[in-house]
Each structure stands twice: as C-alpha cells, then as structure tokens.
Amino acid sequence: MNEFVPPGPEAKVFVISVAAELSGLHPQTLRTYDRIGLVEAGRTSGGGRRYSLRDIEQLRMVAQLTAEGLGLEGVKRVIALENQVVALQAKVAELQAELVQTRTPRNLPALYGETQLARWRRR
C-alpha cells in the first residue's frame, strides 16, 4: 500500500470558505483580491476557487498591510517587489554555485611558449 504524501504549499486544495477562515478575511474579499490580481486562486472544472497554503500566507500579508494603512495598489507593488527579491536570491545562489564550479581545478592543457603541456590529475 502506498504511503500518503500530503500536498505541498503550492497545491491549490482549500475551498474559498476554508481559505477565508484561515486568512481571517471575508470570502467576498478573497473574490475581489482574485479579480484584481493580488492572489491567483486555482479553479475547479466547475469554476470554484481553490487556494494553497502559500496563497493563504499571502492573503494574511495583504490583510496586515492594508490594516497598516497601505492601499491595494501599494500592496500589489510590495508583493511584486518581494517576488522579485526571491527570484534574485535564487539567481544569486545559482551564480554562487556556478562560481564554485569554475574554481575547481580541471584537466585543461596549459600553454608554455609555443608548446602545449597537458597535466592530468586522477580523481
């Protein structure tokens, strides 16, 4: 028998009523946020909205920012900037890993004057 594997944070599994309760917002507010693009809910074949854990975290952040006085356009900008920061951090990590790879010695031929000398190292 296969072991149960719970869905990840990106899986759109929560219906709108559950997402509203977990985020502390009204279901109509979630519909509005989906319509203006603050949160992108998944859709079932019947058209119902589904939310992921990550969506619910984002809804909580929207609620906190609006409670602190930020308008919805400002919230959209903050979310876009945070997504950009995450993407840039991933790119930096990728480039750092690539830099480590370039610093490791390789078996390349070395040029001395007009002659080539190949030096091989065993691994």
Side-chain angles (χ1 to χ4, degrees), residues 34-117:
D34 185 26
R35 192 169 39 257
I36 64 174
L38 281 173
V39 175
E40 293 181 23
R43 296 294 181 140
T44 63
S45 58
R49 289 176 170 86
R50 294 288 189 266
Y51 296 88
S52 67
L53 283 174
R54 193 136 359 252
D55 293 334
I56 292 168
E57 289 172 5
Q58 190 163 340
L59 287 166
R60 286 181 177 167
M61 184 178 69
V62 170
Q64 179 185 359
L65 291 172
T66 54
E68 292 173 358
L70 198 58
L72 292 179
E73 286 301 316
V75 171
K76 282 176 84 170
R77 184 71 178 136
V78 167
I79 290 171
L81 289 171
E82 285 192 356
N83 290 339
Q84 186 178 12
V85 166
V86 169
L88 289 171
Q89 287 172 334
K91 185 66 176 174
V92 166
E94 176 187 325
L95 291 172
Q96 285 175 333
E98 188 178 316
L99 183 62
V100 167
Q101 288 291 345
T102 60
R103 289 185 178 165
T104 58
R106 294 190 179 141
N107 295 329
L108 298 176
L111 296 175
Y112 291 104
E114 294 182 20
T115 62
Q116 270 191 348
L117 174 67

